[in-house]
Amino acid sequence: MTRAFVFPGQGAQTIGMGKALAEAYPAAQAVFDEVDEALGEKLSSLIWEGDIAELTLTQNAQPALMATSIAAMRALEAEGASVTDAAFVAGHSLGEYSALAAAGALSVADTARLLRTRGLAMQSAVPVGEGAMAAILGLDLDAVRAVAEEAAQGEVCQAANDNDPTQVVVSGAKAAVERAAEIAKEKGAKRAVMLPVSAPFHCALMQPAADVMAEALAAVEIKAPAVPLVANVRAEAVSDPDLIRQLLVEQVTGSVRWRESVQYMAAQGVTETWEIGAGKALSGMIRKINRDIAGKAVGTPDDVQKVLQAES
């Protein structure tokens, strides 16, 4: 069985995530301690007993979700598993950073600081209320691209996340995204849902954030990952550190090609994914993309035991 480890993106955050892992595994607790130290604050307190609205702020959610994913990875490692048990790592948007940290390409401390910078830069790139995102359900990528083009009317409106065959997210100027939602329904979309996000991610409006990340990424060491990364903007495997650096910058304004990334991994023989960290959103998407891939979520000590027992 060929496996890939996949890492969730924003939206998976919950108060209390990772706490049971930290209590059960000293190596998992050490991850949260390292992230707290890197950021100079007790992010772990916010994650475990804070306010969900504060945790959901982009600059908090991004390092928090990464910390939870790496804590789950350390729990697996404490039980004898390794990232090299996977043929690939991949992550959805910020999850790409978690994947790189898991594969040893980035240190946990650098990843935490990068994600704090990324969250703040993405938040400040567009004044609150001027951008928006909407999930279009029931139309494929080409149909949604056509909708976005029609809705733009001189403003930015792009297909941002190609999540699965039934869901594509559009991002851009608020009025244009609202138009896209209406046009999509006219074109036969089952639903068009405005998303509760604070900025229009993965579109051209994020260029100021991409510039910030180019500078931030230039200042950190990136090693070759222990296993190849299936990159969001390429939907294919990459291992070269300089290329990874470039693609992480492109990712800020580029589309998350998740559906194609999963198809790529399936074509390389992947038959099972382990979703490392909070939630099960990616496993749900993967099931819609390719029913032959078995998805398992690894976010609690019970999950860790379950997946490893299935191995033995």
Side-chain angles (χ1 to χ4, degrees):
M1 182 170 295
T2 303
R3 182 179 302 129
F5 290 167
V6 298
F7 296 81
Q10 222 160 311
Q13 65 275 1
T14 55
I15 295 296
M17 64 183 182
K19 191 165 195 283
L21 288 167
E23 288 168 348
Y25 295 97
Q29 176 66 56
V31 172
F32 288 103
D33 293 343
E34 189 175 352
V35 170
D36 286 351
E37 191 177 335
L39 298 179
E41 66 181 69
K42 290 282 283 182
L43 184 67
S44 57
S45 296
L46 172 60
I47 298 169
W48 294 337
E49 58 252 349
D51 174 63
I52 187 63
E54 192 182 344
L55 180 61
T56 297
L57 292 174
T58 302
Q59 68 262 29
N60 292 329
Q62 295 200 20
L65 284 160
M66 181 278 296
T68 304
S69 285
I70 301 305
M73 195 70 230
R74 295 288 181 267
L76 285 166
E77 289 165 355
E79 297 287 2
S82 165
V83 71
T84 55
D85 296 340
F88 302 100
V89 292
H92 193 283
S93 190
L94 86 89
E96 195 151 273
Y97 286 79
S98 307
L100 288 165
L106 285 167
S107 74
V108 170
D110 280 343
T111 310
R113 288 187 287 262
L114 284 168
L115 287 172
R116 169 56 56 83
T117 299
R118 184 177 183 266
L120 288 167
M122 291 170 95
Q123 188 61 67
S124 60
V126 180
V128 173
E130 289 190 14
M133 299 180 79
I136 311 298
L137 308 179
L139 294 181
D140 66 14
L141 178 61
D142 289 340
V144 173
R145 279 184 175 147
V147 165
E149 203 174 314
E150 186 180 333
Q153 296 177 22
E155 294 183 295
V156 171
C157 188
Q158 292 169 245
N161 299 354
D162 180 15
N163 285 335
D164 66 45
T166 68
Q167 186 195 116
V168 181
V169 174
V170 292
S171 182
K174 186 166 186 277
V177 171
E178 287 170 345
R179 284 193 295 271
E182 290 310 309
I183 293 167
K185 285 187 262 194
E186 290 164 16
K187 303 266 188 193
K190 287 179 185 166
R191 278 197 305 155
V193 183
M194 299 299 290
L195 298 179
V197 293
S198 49
F201 306 131
H202 300 293
C203 75
L205 294 176
M206 287 285 116
Q207 188 57 48
D211 296 340
V212 169
M213 289 314 295
E215 198 174 317
L217 284 157
V220 301
E221 182 186 14
I222 300 179
K223 299 174 182 168
V227 295
L229 170 80
V230 179
N232 283 183
V233 295
R234 287 275 181 95
E236 62 185 27
V238 296
S239 290
D240 177 68
D242 290 332
L243 179 58
I244 288 169
R245 197 185 311 271
Q246 174 196 324
L247 296 180
L248 287 173
V249 176
E250 288 179 20
Q251 190 229 55
V252 179
T253 55
S255 295
V256 175
R257 295 167 61 185
W258 187 251
R259 178 183 58 85
E260 292 172 89
S261 295
V262 173
Q263 288 174 330
Y264 171 85
M265 290 188 281
Q268 308 305 309
V270 168
T271 53
E272 181 180 85
T273 57
W274 289 10
E275 183 169 0
I276 313 286
K280 299 177 181 178
L282 297 183
S283 300
M285 291 177 198
I286 291 165
R287 197 160 48 246
K288 288 176 181 166
I289 297 164
N290 188 322
R291 291 203 166 275
D292 294 332
I293 298 177
K296 297 179 177 181
V298 186
T300 67
D302 283 351
D303 293 339
V304 170
Q305 296 301 325
K306 211 178 288 180
V307 294
L308 294 176
Q309 278 163 8
E311 289 297 284
S312 56

